[in-house]
Amino acid sequence: MADAHVSNVKVDRDGLLMKLEEWGIESTTVEHPEVFTVEQALPYISHLEGVFAKNLFLRSKKKKLYLFCAPHDADIKLNDLAKLSGASGGLRFADESVLEEKLGLTQGSVTLFGLINDQAKEVTLVLDRRLLDGTYTKIYFHPMVNTASIAVSPAGIQTFLQHTGHRPLIVDVEKTNEESQS
């Protein structure tokens, strides 16, 4: 079901919003000042229904790329995440140049929606189960820029991933944290 066209032109905010509408994905946009961290974004989102997503663009020692998305309050340890995702040699943050090349994003605007630009399927998506299992009715991601956030439902996330051809690796960050504390 993934769209077949391949292009070097990256989808931007307007292109993303058009695709979400075309694909029948309901979304709500919240405009806000430029933010670079979850903590900076929360004052604009935390009073709304749903949860803001934390998104990390990572690479393994073997240069395999990963996009990790979880609720903003998830306690994430890169070593645990490497084990969960099978990343041999551990995980580290990928360079911004790779982020720009692969997902068309800059630091501070990392988002699940960047996968729309990963037409070669070079990025493995790792999702915390709570983003899909109905724990939250709405999940907020940046729309390719960090001056707004877009809310979509778990079903909307799944529809988006079907259209981009990305099959997420579902992990349970909460369970991993409980195990590492015992």
Side-chain angles (χ1 to χ4, degrees), residues 47-65:
H47 64 287
L48 302 171
E49 176 187 344
V51 68
F52 188 72
K54 178 184 297 191
N55 304 275
L56 306 175
F57 187 60
L58 307 165
R59 70 172 179 83
S60 68
K61 191 172 187 175
K62 296 183 178 181
K63 306 256 192 280
K64 187 167 165 68
L65 300 172

Side-chain angles (χ1 to χ4, degrees), residues 93 105 126 131 146 166 168:
F93 288 95
L105 301 170
V126 182
L131 298 185
N146 60 355
H166 288 83

Side-chain angles (χ1 to χ4, degrees), residues 104-120:
L105 301 170
T106 58
Q107 284 180 346
S109 62
V110 177
T111 176
L112 170 97
F113 295 129
L115 293 173
I116 199 168
N117 288 319
D118 179 34
Q119 296 177 355

Side-chain angles (χ1 to χ4, degrees), residues 112-132:
L112 170 97
F113 295 129
L115 293 173
I116 199 168
N117 288 319
D118 179 34
Q119 296 177 355
K121 311 294 178 281
E122 296 177 274
V123 179
T124 299
L125 174 62
V126 182
L127 278 181
D128 182 90
R129 69 163 176 78
R130 293 173 291 167
L131 298 185
L132 294 179

Side-chain angles (χ1 to χ4, degrees), residues 38-39 51-59 66-85 90-93 110 126-131 136 141 171-178 180-181:
V38 167
E39 291 73 25
V51 68
F52 188 72
K54 178 184 297 191
N55 304 275
L56 306 175
F57 187 60
L58 307 165
R59 70 172 179 83
Y66 296 86
L67 176 61
F68 174 71
C69 305
H72 72 268
D73 57 357
D75 183 21
I76 300 164
K77 295 175 181 63
L78 291 184
N79 287 341
D80 292 342
L81 194 52
K83 289 176 193 157
L84 285 172
S85 58
L91 290 170
R92 59 200 50 77
F93 288 95
V110 177
V126 182
L127 278 181
D128 182 90
R129 69 163 176 78
R130 293 173 291 167
L131 298 185
Y136 305 103
F141 297 94
V171 298
D172 192 336
V173 173
E174 283 183 319
K175 196 171 193 177
T176 304
N177 290 336
E178 290 167 10
S180 63
Q181 292 172 3

